[in-house]
Amino acid sequence: IGDGAPTGNYGYTNSGYSVYEEENERLTESLRTKVSAIKSLSIEIGTEVKNQNKMLSEMDNDFDSTGGLLGATMGRLRTLSRGSQTKLLCYMMLFAFFVFFVIYWIIKLR
């Protein structure tokens, strides 16, 4: 090299080179820590997403079964309303009115 600098450090003085190297190592370690934190956070987010998807799937199945039950009930009510069973329909309406009145009365007493 010929400038009078030692051949092992490529022309850098010992103090300047080690300061940059230490700074680089410190920044590298900081970056490594941040990447590790982001990795663990993304794994936790993935786990939470899987759990939420499972819960949504279960809720979808529950809503489908409830919808089927409600559809069957509505079909029965249509059958009752079409037939000559108006007396039975009137009794059902009076019963529903009575139940709602009792519930209202109980809530009112509290």
Side-chain angles (χ1 to χ4, degrees), residues 4 26-27 45 57 63 70 83 93:
R26 186 182 61 77
L27 290 173
I45 288 172
S57 175
F63 280 126
L70 185 60
M93 295 297 279

Side-chain angles (χ1 to χ4, degrees), residues 68-106:
L69 181 65
L70 185 60
T73 303
M74 291 302 292
R76 288 187 205 124
L77 280 175
R78 273 191 226 107
T79 303
L80 282 176
S81 67
R82 287 184 195 152
S84 61
Q85 301 171 350
T86 55
K87 188 176 180 182
L88 182 61
L89 185 60
C90 183
Y91 285 143
M92 284 179 33
M93 295 297 279
L94 286 173
F95 177 73
F97 179 72
F98 176 74
V99 169
F100 286 125
F101 179 73
V102 169
I103 290 172
Y104 172 75
W105 184 64
I106 289 172

Side-chain angles (χ1 to χ4, degrees), residues 6-110:
T7 59
N9 61 6
Y10 303 104
Y12 295 110
T13 59
N14 283 338
S15 63
Y17 180 72
S18 75
V19 168
Y20 289 127
E21 188 175 326
E22 288 173 8
E23 179 71 16
N24 193 20
E25 289 295 322
R26 186 182 61 77
L27 290 173
T28 303
E29 187 59 35
S30 173
L31 183 62
R32 185 176 294 123
T33 303
K34 290 176 184 178
V35 167
S36 176
I38 290 173
K39 179 183 176 184
S40 65
L41 184 63
S42 65
I43 289 172
E44 290 175 13
I45 288 172
T47 303
E48 185 65 25
V49 166
K50 286 178 185 176
N51 290 337
Q52 294 293 327
N53 282 337
K54 181 180 175 185
M55 188 185 318
L56 284 174
S57 175
E58 291 171 359
M59 284 177 61
D60 187 39
N61 292 337
D62 291 342
F63 280 126
D64 284 343
S65 65
T66 304
L69 181 65
L70 185 60
T73 303
M74 291 302 292
R76 288 187 205 124
L77 280 175
R78 273 191 226 107
T79 303
L80 282 176
S81 67
R82 287 184 195 152
S84 61
Q85 301 171 350
T86 55
K87 188 176 180 182
L88 182 61
L89 185 60
C90 183
Y91 285 143
M92 284 179 33
M93 295 297 279
L94 286 173
F95 177 73
F97 179 72
F98 176 74
V99 169
F100 286 125
F101 179 73
V102 169
I103 290 172
Y104 172 75
W105 184 64
I106 289 172
I107 291 173
K108 188 78 169 180
L109 287 177
R110 284 186 170 192

